Amino acid sequence: MKRNLRRFGIVLTLLLLAAAIGLWLARDVPRQRVEQTLSQSFGGEVRVGRLVLLGRRQVALEQVAMRAPQALPWLEELQINRIEATGPLAAMADGRFEVLRVLDADARLAPVPAGSRAPPAPPSTLAAELLSIERLQVLYSHGEADSAIQVEGLVRGLGSGSSGALHLSSDRLALAPLLAIAGFDLPLDATADDATATVRLIAPASATVVATAAELVISRLGRAQTLGSPRVDGTIQLREDGGLELELVPALTGVESSRVEAGMTGKPRRLDRLAARVQGAHLAPWLDLLDIVPAGWSADGTADGELRGSPADGFELSVRVQV
């Protein structure tokens, strides 16, 4: 009798252990499915450390790691410590969310070698009615130093005609790596201190940008020019062919007025048209920066200039100088 009871106890223990393992595996299936969906949506390896069921229509993902996604070719890695998602569980498993809240995340941008362009991004299948970014830090390298951008904001209609606003700030912002990602190569080095920017997304396919800084330092070959309190107002319009139309109105110390209009191709993202106009630019600091005045000479005055054309047809530059 005791032997039978002992055997029954062993069998019961094994059954309970098997049930517990089966339950654990069953609970891990949603996490694995989310991993697969995110990996397919972004075209890269995604790992989800933990999935927590918060309610019938809400889950939390913790320790989400993403590396070199094809959908975000300028991104080297992304670490999301916690993200909360709301919606039908089946839809969320397929990458469709009602609400996504990024509570704590860190990203690092991939360096773009000089003279190259970031590869075009394939479309992502991720969609959310509302995306809330509460803390996102973006790091990227410039020489031996890192620049950091803090991002927060709300985006509605992610994946289908987005609207909303993103707010960005940085204590020290190196501009050359960011412009390289966008497809521009600068012959100068530029750094903005105490920089802020607000990007307002307007459905279906446009945006406005307002960027300011305490100062902008432009340097070349050991020479530097400091501009106090620069500001740029701009608009961006997505064309039907996937290209972009940009209009930028910079406000710079020592420049009466300036305006830049540009067109960019879709894939790959490259400049295909440029028209830039400057009026009343004080010459002395720029001549010193460019080092084009012979030693011992001095020059001063103002200049109006216009640069117009395209990489395919060439550019025309006209300058009028008043001394």
Side-chain angles (χ1 to χ4, degrees):
M1 183 68 177
K2 291 182 178 180
R3 181 178 297 177
N4 290 335
L5 287 175
R6 185 163 54 251
R7 288 177 179 175
F8 176 76
I10 293 173
V11 171
L12 181 60
T13 301
L14 292 175
L15 288 175
L16 290 174
L17 180 60
I21 293 174
L23 180 60
W24 181 83
L25 289 175
R27 290 183 60 188
D28 200 45
V29 167
R31 183 193 65 81
Q32 295 174 354
R33 186 173 177 184
V34 169
E35 275 188 345
Q36 294 172 356
T37 298
L38 293 176
S39 297
Q40 292 171 0
S41 295
F42 290 99
E45 181 183 359
V46 179
R47 290 286 179 257
V48 177
R50 186 168 178 243
L51 185 149
V52 181
L53 188 62
L54 302 178
R56 185 174 59 86
R57 291 168 45 84
Q58 189 175 28
V59 299
L61 304 180
E62 297 179 346
Q63 301 305 315
V64 180
M66 181 188 303
R67 290 189 60 84
Q70 295 179 10
L72 303 171
W74 37 265
L75 182 66
E76 184 175 295
E77 61 180 346
L78 173 65
Q79 179 73 39
I80 303 177
N81 296 320
R82 184 177 176 89
I83 181 170
E84 294 181 358
T86 302
L89 295 181
M92 289 194 291
D94 290 332
R96 293 177 286 112
F97 304 89
E98 292 180 1
V99 179
L100 276 178
R101 294 180 62 213
V102 179
L103 302 180
D104 185 18
D106 295 275
R108 177 169 286 278
L109 303 184
V112 178
S116 66
R117 298 287 188 272
S124 171
T125 59
L126 187 71
E129 295 179 18
L130 178 65
L131 170 65
S132 171
I133 301 175
E134 301 188 12
R135 181 201 167 272
L136 170 61
Q137 177 175 255
V138 180
L139 296 173
Y140 63 95
S141 298
H142 182 56
E144 298 180 355
D146 275 348
S147 287
I149 305 173
Q150 310 299 327
V151 183
E152 62 181 25
L154 286 171
V155 178
R156 294 177 176 82
L158 180 67
S160 59
S162 300
S163 64
L166 297 174
H167 305 283
L168 302 86
S169 61
S170 176
D171 293 337
R172 191 168 182 81
L173 187 69
L175 297 179
L178 300 179
L179 292 173
I181 291 174
F184 293 95
D185 288 327
L186 274 185
L188 307 171
D189 198 10
T191 303
D193 291 337
D194 294 330
T196 64
T198 298
V199 181
R200 298 195 181 280
L201 306 174
I202 305 170
S206 63
T208 63
V209 181
V210 177
T212 64
E215 66 178 23
L216 176 66
V217 180
I218 303 174
S219 57
R220 177 181 179 271
L221 301 177
R223 298 170 179 263
Q225 166 71 0
T226 300
L227 305 177
S229 304
R231 175 186 172 108
V232 176
D233 292 78
T235 60
I236 304 171
Q237 180 71 46
L238 180 65
R239 301 191 308 232
E240 292 184 359
D241 63 359
L244 295 177
E245 293 293 324
L246 297 90
E247 292 186 7
L248 303 176
V249 181
L252 304 173
T253 302
V255 178
E256 183 179 317
S257 65
S258 59
R259 185 180 187 88
V260 178
E261 299 177 2
M264 302 192 71
T265 59
K267 295 181 180 180
R269 188 75 69 195
R270 290 179 180 172
L271 180 71
D272 66 358
R273 177 183 57 80
L274 176 66
R277 295 179 293 278
V278 175
Q279 290 184 321
H282 290 281
L283 288 174
W286 299 103
L287 293 175
D288 180 67
L289 178 67
L290 298 174
D291 193 22
I292 59 177
V293 176
W297 290 37
S298 63
D300 199 0
T302 62
D304 299 338
E306 183 172 2
L307 177 65
R308 182 181 296 272
S310 69
D313 300 327
F315 293 92
E316 294 182 359
L317 174 64
S318 61
V319 179
R320 185 181 65 178
V321 179
Q322 296 178 345
V323 294

